[in-house]
Amino acid sequence: MPQPLAYQFSGLITAEAPITVDYVGMEQRLPRTPHGQVFLNGGTLRGPLRKAGLTMLIRELAKAHGKPLDGIFNRAEMYMLGEGVDITRQVNSEEGGTHDPRAEAFLRAANPFLSLFGRWKLAGYLEVGALLTSRDNLITAGQGVRHDQFEHSPQLAQYLDEAEHEALLTELRSARESMVEIEALRAQVRELRERSRNSDDRTVRQEISTQIKELEAQEKEIRKAREGSEESIKHPIQGVEAIAPGSQLQSRLRIIEGSAESLGLLLHCLGEFSQRPRLGGHLATGFGAISAEWEVLQRAAGERRANAIGQVRLDDMGIELDGEPLEAAWEAFAQALPQYDFTLSTRQEARKQWKSRK
């Protein structure tokens, strides 16, 4: 059996548009390090790569086996591959059982996609590091004002009958009056959040959190009481904290136990991701576009240093591979694709298949 290889992608991702991510508990701010840097969690890239890879698998397997696109995976298999989630609960039966390393090795060899990205109780061999950049690259983006279409284009009102026109005036008046109250509450919330960020006292932060919840509850009641839509159509858009266009983010991806085929799989996932290379949220307003360039290094067991084997570049126009080992890995996965079993996900079934082939 060939010895596993380690592969590392080291390079830079360039923000071609503002990038913002709403992480739970961060109050729409991006995470910081103590060293003057801001970062995006590795999952912000790993997740889109995994989902792009699933799309790639469906298309390429359909071509390889002459099947329709909707005949490749069922719902449970798509959840397992795309998110590592077991909706059948078969994986639960592995708890408490004796771990069989040979069954796991067979599972990883038969289903390299699951081996690469993992599932619950099966660690993925693909590590995606945090994307680091300077705090100086932070901006507020997306701010503006949303207008009511009847105020912005009054001529539209001529297409309403008299009753609808009167209802419109009532709704506009109610929205205007309620937004004055809501903006006052939101100003208090912003001030409280700033105080919370600047305080190290846990008790003070808890008290502030309670006050914020009370103010948010008041806002909710005001919105419920207004005429027409609960959400105001006309309102200022505060904008979000984002990484500025033109900023470069340090990026590292690593396959800890790989082969030419698993490297090729990752390259195919990156190729599919290049169809729409986007990170984070607010994509419909043009956020999230990136380009990227990595140097790829390979290291075999026993070698003292890794060796560069090529470069990978991607953007909206596609993916470029520079280096014969990378082209060979791309082709190696494509050739091996029809022989893999991407529906295999449990060690029990892997053990059965392994024993039947002995």
Side-chain angles (χ1 to χ4, degrees):
M1 174 179 282
Q3 290 294 312
L5 300 168
Y7 295 100
Q8 181 160 305
F9 289 53
S10 296
L12 296 170
I13 288 176
T14 300
E16 303 294 344
I19 302 175
T20 185
V21 183
D22 189 3
Y23 294 120
V24 175
M26 292 298 298
E27 298 178 355
Q28 297 185 321
R29 299 171 76 242
L30 295 175
R32 271 86 162 153
T33 76
H35 316 297
Q37 291 178 303
V38 66
F39 65 93
L40 307 179
N41 294 338
T44 302
L45 173 59
R46 199 176 194 274
L49 278 184
R50 182 169 193 159
K51 290 171 176 59
L54 174 58
T55 301
M56 176 275 297
L57 281 187
I58 293 170
R59 184 187 62 247
E60 296 304 318
L61 286 169
K63 288 196 299 186
H65 296 297
K67 292 184 176 181
L69 293 172
D70 61 2
I72 302 302
F73 298 125
N74 61 32
R75 177 169 46 94
E77 291 160 353
M78 290 180 69
Y79 268 119
M80 178 60 74
L81 291 167
E83 298 191 45
V85 172
D86 175 28
I87 65 170
T88 68
R89 305 188 184 184
Q90 293 181 46
V91 173
N92 293 350
S93 62
E94 293 183 345
E95 285 192 275
T98 302
H99 179 72
D100 187 340
R102 289 175 297 186
E104 180 173 319
F106 184 91
L107 169 59
R108 289 185 181 277
N111 189 344
F113 192 90
L114 205 59
S115 180
L116 200 65
F117 289 102
R119 62 154 169 81
W120 185 67
K121 296 294 185 179
L122 182 74
Y125 281 169
L126 174 63
E127 299 174 354
V128 181
L131 309 179
L132 287 157
T133 192
S134 169
R135 287 191 207 178
D136 294 337
N137 290 328
L138 287 179
I139 60 170
T140 300
Q143 59 269 53
V145 176
R146 185 175 183 182
H147 297 280
D148 185 290
Q149 63 181 3
F150 288 100
E151 289 187 343
H152 192 260
S153 303
Q155 67 272 19
L156 288 175
Q158 66 183 305
Y159 304 116
L160 298 176
D161 62 25
E162 192 60 32
E164 285 291 297
H165 185 258
E166 288 300 320
L168 172 65
L169 293 179
T170 300
E171 289 173 3
L172 290 175
R173 184 167 50 252
S174 177
R176 185 166 49 251
E177 291 170 354
S178 64
M179 279 309 299
V180 172
E181 298 178 68
I182 288 172
E183 280 305 310
L185 293 174
R186 289 178 177 175
Q188 294 179 59
V189 168
R190 288 193 293 271
E191 181 181 344
L192 286 169
R193 283 181 172 154
E194 184 64 28
R195 282 175 51 195
S196 179
R197 283 195 290 268
N198 294 331
S199 175
D200 295 325
D201 189 317
R202 185 176 179 181
T203 302
V204 170
R205 291 168 68 96
Q206 288 175 338
E207 291 174 353
I208 290 174
S209 177
T210 300
Q211 293 176 55
I212 288 174
K213 288 178 181 178
E214 291 172 353
L215 292 170
E216 289 175 339
Q218 291 179 43
E219 178 183 334
K220 188 174 182 180
E221 290 303 314
I222 292 171
R223 286 192 280 109
K224 281 184 177 180
R226 67 157 50 114
E227 297 284 340
S229 170
E230 185 174 322
E231 297 296 332
S232 175
I233 296 172
K234 181 181 178 181
H235 62 271
I237 301 171
Q238 298 297 328
V240 293
E241 186 171 78
I243 296 170
S247 304
Q248 292 189 318
L249 298 90
Q250 299 171 43
S251 172
R252 182 182 65 84
L253 299 85
R254 183 175 174 83
I255 302 176
I256 58 173
E257 289 192 33
S259 62
E261 289 79 9
S262 60
L263 172 60
L265 169 57
L266 177 55
L267 294 174
H268 277 266
C269 292
L270 287 166
E272 190 69 27
F273 173 67
S274 73
Q275 296 282 345
R276 195 185 185 206
R278 301 290 187 272
L279 297 177
H282 294 267
L283 303 188
T285 53
F287 281 43
I290 65 163
S291 59
E293 182 171 345
W294 296 276
E295 181 180 42
V296 183
L297 299 100
Q298 173 183 296
R299 186 180 180 191
E303 291 183 348
R304 296 177 64 178
R305 298 289 299 175
N307 298 306
I309 59 172
Q311 291 185 322
V312 176
R313 291 177 288 274
L314 67 81
D315 56 23
D316 275 325
M317 297 297 101
I319 187 170
E320 296 180 17
L321 307 181
D322 182 6
E324 182 55 37
L326 301 184
E327 294 287 358
W330 179 281
E331 188 59 29
F333 174 74
Q335 291 293 327
L337 176 75
Q339 283 75 53
Y340 292 128
D341 181 2
F342 294 103
T343 66
L344 184 64
S345 61
T346 66
R347 293 186 182 91
Q348 293 98 320
E349 184 57 33
R351 179 176 174 79
K352 291 178 186 176
Q353 292 190 24
W354 171 72
K355 294 192 76 173
S356 70
R357 297 184 188 186
K358 287 181 64 177

